[in-house]
Amino acid sequence: NGFEQISINFVNEKLQQFFNHHMFVVEQEEYVKEGIDWEMVDFGMDLQAAIIMFEKPMGLWAILEEESLFPKATDKSFEEKLKASLGKLPIFLKPQSKTDKNAHFAISHYAGIVSYNVTGWL
């Protein structure tokens, strides 16, 4: 999976978080306002860790943008910066692809673990 797929998966995370919040959290708040006997269910922020990893100041998007500004940056330097900056996060994983033995890393998305290959991103 390449740049296009990681972009799609990121947007899916954002949309799923929006949906979960509005369909479950906001709806439950409305039940309480209306006096409906309701036991609140904690839907948490299951997707927030992945979203933050992408959007934080030295997150995936920021690292990609920074690397794209350097004329001598390579896919390898990008991969190394990702691993150095994000490697300790529990959702940033070693590649687990059965179809791409050259994948560089994986992300634990809402829908499952997806491996990515950064070849050609820069």
Side-chain angles (χ1 to χ4, degrees), residues 20-90:
N20 288 355
H21 180 74
H22 286 279
M23 289 305 296
F24 302 119
V25 177
V26 173
E27 194 64 28
Q28 289 185 109
E29 290 170 354
E30 189 64 30
Y31 294 168
V32 171
K33 285 179 190 172
E34 293 178 8
I36 296 171
D37 186 24
W38 181 260
E39 188 172 320
M40 295 294 278
V41 177
D42 181 11
F43 290 95
M45 298 295 278
D46 296 347
L47 309 171
Q48 201 58 35
I51 293 168
I52 289 170
M53 183 205 59
F54 279 96
E55 294 181 334
K56 70 182 193 163
M58 276 311 290
L60 194 142
W61 296 139
I63 294 168
L64 179 59
E65 181 178 11
E66 179 182 275
E67 282 294 283
S68 69
L69 297 173
F70 292 104
K72 294 186 180 187
T74 64
D75 295 333
K76 185 68 176 163
S77 66
F78 173 57
E79 174 193 0
E80 290 167 356
K81 281 192 179 179
L82 284 178
K83 289 178 177 176
S85 297
L86 308 174
K88 291 190 170 112
L89 297 174

